Amino acid sequence: MKPNFDMFHQWSKKPRVTYVKTSNEKIAVVYTRVSSKEQYDTNLSLDWQKKAIDEFALRSDIRTAAYFGGTYESAKTDGRKEFQRMLDYIKKNKDTVTHVLVYLLDRFSRSGDGAMRLSKELREKYGVTIVAVTQPIDTSNPGGVFQQNLQFLFSQYDNELRRQRAMAGIKEHLEQGIWCKKPPMGYTAIKEGKERKIIVDETGKKLRKAFRWKAEGIKNDEILQRLKAMGVQIYKQKLSMIFSNPFYCGIIADKMLNGNLVEGSHEKMIPPEVFLQIHKVRAAAKGKYGVTHKKENEQYPLKLFMKCDKCGIGYTGYVVKKKNKTNNKVHEFHYYKCRSQGCNCNQRTSEVNQEFVYFLKDYTLQPQLVAPLLYHMDAAFDKHYEVALEQQKMYKAKLADIEKSSEELEDDFYLYKKVPEDVYIRLRTKLAKEKADIAEVLSTLDVENSNLKTYFREGITISTQLATSWYSSPIPVKEKLQKFIFPEGVTYNREKGTFLTSKVNTLFEPIARLNSITDDDKNKQGSISAALSNWVGRTGFELPYNKLNVNIYKSKNIKTHRLTHWEYM
Ligand SMILES: [Zn+2]
C-alpha cells in the first residue's frame, strides 16, 4: 500500500537556491566597452553598442535597470572598476536582476577561463545570464553554456593573437629606432601628417638644463630644487632614472631588444658626450663621497665651512713651501686664509683644526649622560607619535570621504547622468588632486617610530665620540660630520681661537648644555631636565599641522640629516 506522502513532507528535498527573484520580469544591467581610445573619444562605438543593446532589450521584453562601462580597454583600471561596480550592483540586486547585456561577448571579458568561471557564478549563484545581443545563446541548457564558453575561449584566443602581433610590431619598430611606446618624461609624441614624431617638450627643455647642471657636478638635491622653482616637480629616484636613461641622448635600450642598443629616430635632448660626462661624475661620486679631493686638501677640512668673524667670508687654504737649507728637503706649511683684502688672517691649519676638535668636545656627550638623554628622548618620541597617529587617522578618514565623493560623482555621471561631462571632468580632476595631496601628507607622517628612534640612538652614539671621530676621519667624512652638526657652518675668531655657530643640529644642541652641568650641581636632575626640556619641546618634535609644516619638519630635522648620517655611517 502506498504510504500517505502528506505525513512525510518534512523530509522532502529541494535543490538549494541561493537566489529568489521577486517577480517574473526580465531585468538587465548593460555593460559597454570599446577596444580603443579613438573609439572611446569619438563615442561612436559606445553609442552604437548601447543602441543595439537597447533595441534587443525592447524586442526581448527585457527592462534595463542600469548601465555600466563606457570606458575603453586600455584604461585598464577604469575598466576594471566599472566592471566591479556592475558586479556589486548585481549582487546587491540579485532578487531582481536577471541578465547582463553586452554587445559582443568579448566586451564582457577577454580572459576566457575567468569569464567562464564568472558567468557560471552569475548563473548559478545569482540567477543572472550573460547575453551578447549580437550572438544570443540560450544558456539555460548545457549545450548553450558550452557554446558560450567556447565563445569566451575564442575571445581570449583573439586577444592573445592580437597581443602577440602588437608585441612583434613594437619590437620591429624598436629595431628600426622608432619608439612607439609612451615616451619618457620631457618628451611628447606628436603627429605630423601620418608620421608620429617624438620631440622635446617644455618640460624637456628644463630637463635639458638639469642634464647640464649634473654634468657640471651640481648635486641632485640642488638640481631638484632648481627644477621645482621652474615648475618641474619630480622625485629624487626619478631624477636618477632620467640621468641614467640613454634615450635622452638618442639611444634606445629596451628589454625587447634583448641587450642590443639602437640609435633612435627621436629628437636628442642632450649630446651623448653630456650623458657620458654625467656618468663619469656619477662614477666618481659613487666611489668616494661625492667629491674627489686632492691629497693636499686633507689639510683643510674647514675650508669654506669656516667663516671669518670680521667679514663673514669663508676661509680658503693655501700652502707655503720652504726648502730646508741643511738637508735640501721641501717642507710644506698649510694655512687657512681669509679671502677679503685687509683682513690679513692667516692661521696655521694644524692649530685651527686642533681648536675645532676642542670646540667639538662641547658637543661630545659624556657617557654618564647617555641614559638620561635616552630616557627623555623616548618620552618625547612617544608623545610625538601619539599625535602623529591621531593625525594619520584623521587624514585617512578624509581620504575615505574623498573616495566616497568620487564614487558618487561616477554614479552621477555614468549612471544617473546628473552631471554634464565638463563638470564631471573638472570635479574628477579636483578630487584626484585632493586625494594626491592627502596621500602625500600621509606619506610624510612617520608613525613608524622605531626608525626615527633608532636613528637618534645612533646619533647619540656618534655624539659620545664626536671629537675623536672627526679627528680620525678622512676629509669627506669630516666635511659631512661638521655640516651635520652645524648646518650653517661656523665662524672663527682668530684672536681668541674660538668658534661661534648660529645653528646646531637639534640632536646636538642640548648636549652642550648638558655638558656644562657640573657634578656638584645641587639640583643636577633639575638641570638635566631643564637642558632637555628645550629639546623635547622643540618644534621639530611637534606635530605637523599642515602640509607646509610637514615639509619644514621633514627637511629641517629628519630627512636631510638622516641622509647625511647614513652616508656618513
Ligand atoms: Zn675676513
Side-chain angles (χ1 to χ4, degrees):
M1 190 185 100
K2 193 181 166 195
N4 180 358
F5 282 169
D6 288 346
M7 312 283 289
F8 290 87
H9 256 307
Q10 58 172 310
W11 290 283
S12 72
K13 281 177 182 164
K14 277 186 192 161
R16 223 179 55 180
V17 177
T18 52
Y19 59 90
V20 182
K21 303 290 174 191
T22 48
S23 78
N24 288 329
E25 205 185 350
K26 287 187 264 183
I27 294 173
V29 294
V30 174
Y31 186 70
T32 53
R33 188 174 69 155
V34 288
S35 50
S36 72
K37 192 170 185 320
E38 278 91 79
Q39 283 178 318
Y40 174 70
D41 286 342
T42 53
N43 215 11
L44 265 175
S45 183
L46 278 176
D47 279 349
W48 176 255
Q49 286 181 27
K50 191 174 167 293
K51 203 166 152 245
I53 292 170
D54 283 343
E55 276 169 10
F56 175 88
L58 201 65
R59 271 205 314 274
S60 323
D61 217 12
I62 298 174
R63 184 163 71 81
T64 50
Y67 291 86
F68 295 92
T71 54
Y72 58 95
E73 212 159 85
S74 357
K76 287 246 163 61
T77 48
D78 262 24
R80 258 204 296 273
K81 224 172 130 186
E82 270 301 292
F83 195 75
Q84 192 53 48
R85 245 162 46 81
M86 176 186 72
L87 293 182
D88 290 345
Y89 181 93
I90 292 173
K91 284 170 194 174
K92 229 188 273 170
N93 298 284
K94 62 176 179 182
D95 52 347
T96 54
V97 174
T98 54
H99 292 82
V100 176
L101 297 182
V102 291
Y103 184 71
L104 272 164
L105 269 189
D106 69 356
R107 300 297 106 134
F108 179 74
S109 171
R110 281 267 168 109
S111 79
D113 49 344
M116 284 190 278
R117 229 178 301 121
L118 188 59
S119 65
K120 183 171 188 263
E121 189 189 333
L122 286 175
R123 204 166 46 236
E124 293 178 354
K125 220 164 142 190
Y126 302 103
V128 172
T129 318
I130 299 154
V131 178
V133 301
T134 50
Q135 342 147 263
I137 294 166
D138 177 9
T139 53
S140 63
N141 60 73
V145 171
F146 178 72
Q147 212 180 333
Q148 191 176 66
N149 283 347
L150 265 183
Q151 282 175 355
F152 280 134
L153 284 175
F154 282 141
S155 302
Q156 186 185 22
Y157 179 63
D158 276 353
N159 196 30
E160 290 289 326
L161 275 184
R162 208 191 322 258
R163 217 175 71 94
Q164 217 171 53
R165 273 200 299 270
M167 298 276 276
I170 290 171
K171 187 166 178 252
E172 209 180 296
H173 275 98
L174 287 177
E175 279 164 351
Q176 290 165 18
I178 301 164
W179 188 261
C180 44
K181 301 194 264 187
K182 188 171 175 265
M185 187 180 187
Y187 280 100
T188 302
I190 53 158
K191 280 223 166 131
E192 248 185 32
K194 278 193 172 173
E195 214 184 333
R196 182 175 181 266
K197 273 193 158 179
I198 295 176
I199 54 157
V200 174
D201 57 21
E202 284 309 307
T203 306
K205 284 175 191 161
K206 291 163 187 167
L207 287 182
R208 180 181 283 149
K209 287 190 179 141
F211 272 105
R212 300 267 178 210
W213 291 327
K214 184 70 186 174
E216 285 164 21
I218 292 168
K219 297 254 163 66
N220 282 7
D221 282 329
E222 170 69 20
I223 294 174
L224 285 172
Q225 273 181 14
R226 290 186 188 183
L227 283 173
K228 196 176 170 188
M230 294 193 299
V232 180
Q233 209 154 352
I234 41 177
Y235 297 107
K236 206 167 179 173
Q237 291 88 333
K238 172 96 181 175
L239 188 67
S240 303
M241 270 167 65
I242 288 174
F243 286 151
S244 353
N245 187 352
F247 187 91
Y248 291 99
C249 66
I251 294 167
I252 291 181
D254 192 273
K255 279 198 291 269
M256 279 180 153
L257 290 172
N258 215 356
N260 293 323
L261 296 170
V262 173
E263 188 176 354
S265 61
H266 59 276
E267 186 183 350
K268 284 189 184 76
M269 187 180 285
I270 48 153
E273 298 78 52
V274 172
F275 185 85
L276 290 176
Q277 166 73 18
I278 284 171
H279 287 271
K280 249 187 254 157
V281 169
R282 284 176 53 127
K286 237 184 201 167
K288 243 201 164 187
Y289 302 101
V291 201
T292 45
H293 283 269
K294 278 183 233 143
K295 185 95 175 77
E296 60 188 44
N297 274 2
E298 283 294 335
Q299 294 291 327
Y300 316 108
L302 300 171
K303 197 169 126 182
L304 298 177
F305 174 79
M306 179 176 82
K307 290 163 188 83
C308 168
D309 71 335
K310 290 203 182 73
C311 65
I313 288 180
Y315 278 88
T316 176
Y318 77 101
V319 61
V320 175
K321 292 182 186 173
K322 280 182 187 158
K323 204 183 251 178
N324 187 319
K325 279 175 188 151
T326 49
N327 60 10
N328 257 354
K329 262 193 179 167
V330 177
H331 285 266
E332 290 185 350
F333 299 92
H334 300 273
Y335 292 87
Y336 287 115
K337 179 184 176 6
C338 172
R339 285 172 296 168
S340 290
Q341 272 197 338
C343 266
N344 292 328
C345 178
N346 305 315
Q347 206 78 357
R348 285 282 287 271
T349 53
S350 53
E351 279 168 34
V352 179
N353 293 346
Q354 193 54 51
E355 279 158 358
F356 190 70
V357 170
Y358 276 116
F359 178 58
L360 282 181
K361 285 200 170 137
D362 287 347
Y363 296 91
T364 305
L365 191 66
Q366 294 163 37
Q368 75 270 21
L369 290 172
V370 170
L373 191 59
L374 284 179
Y375 171 80
H376 282 272
M377 185 196 83
D378 281 349
F381 276 109
D382 290 344
K383 177 97 191 78
H384 165 67
Y385 287 112
E386 203 179 290
V387 195
L389 267 174
E390 206 122 292
Q391 285 280 304
Q392 192 194 44
K393 230 158 106 192
M394 188 196 85
Y395 279 118
K396 275 189 175 164
K398 248 191 201 170
L399 201 60
D401 277 351
I402 294 175
E403 216 66 83
K404 199 169 152 242
S405 303
S406 307
E407 258 170 47
E408 281 167 6
L409 179 68
E410 299 283 322
D411 282 350
D412 285 348
F413 179 64
Y414 283 116
L415 210 54
Y416 308 120
K417 320 264 180 223
K418 273 203 298 203
V419 271
E421 190 165 0
D422 57 326
V423 176
Y424 163 73
I425 288 170
R426 207 182 61 228
L427 287 176
R428 193 174 65 172
T429 316
K430 190 176 152 251
L431 286 169
K433 200 187 164 298
E434 280 174 17
K435 219 153 80 179
D437 283 348
I438 291 183
E440 206 199 318
V441 176
L442 272 173
S443 75
T444 60
L445 277 178
D446 196 352
V447 291
E448 196 41 68
N449 71 3
S450 56
N451 278 347
L452 204 55
K453 265 190 186 170
T454 311
Y455 156 68
F456 268 75
R457 273 172 192 274
E458 280 165 1
I460 284 170
T461 313
I462 296 172
S463 78
T464 57
Q465 43 211 327
L466 184 61
T468 42
S469 292
W470 185 84
Y471 189 73
S472 59
S473 297
I475 198 152
V477 179
K478 274 196 177 81
E479 285 175 347
K480 288 220 154 118
L481 196 53
Q482 67 208 28
K483 196 145 193 260
F484 176 56
I485 302 160
F486 311 112
E488 285 168 7
V490 293
T491 308
Y492 180 63
N493 180 304
R494 171 162 60 124
E495 280 84 24
K496 294 185 198 150
T498 53
F499 296 88
L500 266 177
T501 180
S502 59
K503 200 167 170 238
V504 182
N505 183 333
T506 330
L507 179 63
F508 288 87
E509 202 182 24
I511 292 173
R513 252 176 279 123
L514 285 171
N515 282 339
S516 68
I517 299 167
T518 54
D519 268 343
D520 55 351
D521 189 330
K522 287 196 182 68
N523 182 18
K524 200 171 166 191
Q525 260 313 314
S527 302
I528 291 174
S529 297
L532 289 173
S533 68
N534 208 10
W535 184 55
V536 172
R538 279 190 71 90
T539 46
F541 294 102
E542 293 299 337
L543 193 87
Y545 280 98
N546 58 45
K547 212 177 137 190
L548 192 71
N549 277 345
V550 174
N551 290 335
I552 289 171
Y553 163 79
K554 256 181 90 170
S555 61
K556 269 200 184 148
N557 292 306
I558 315 298
K559 273 289 154 83
T560 49
H561 291 167
R562 183 186 285 177
L563 252 185
T564 322
H565 168 62
W566 283 115
E567 282 166 25
Y568 155 70
M569 292 297 280

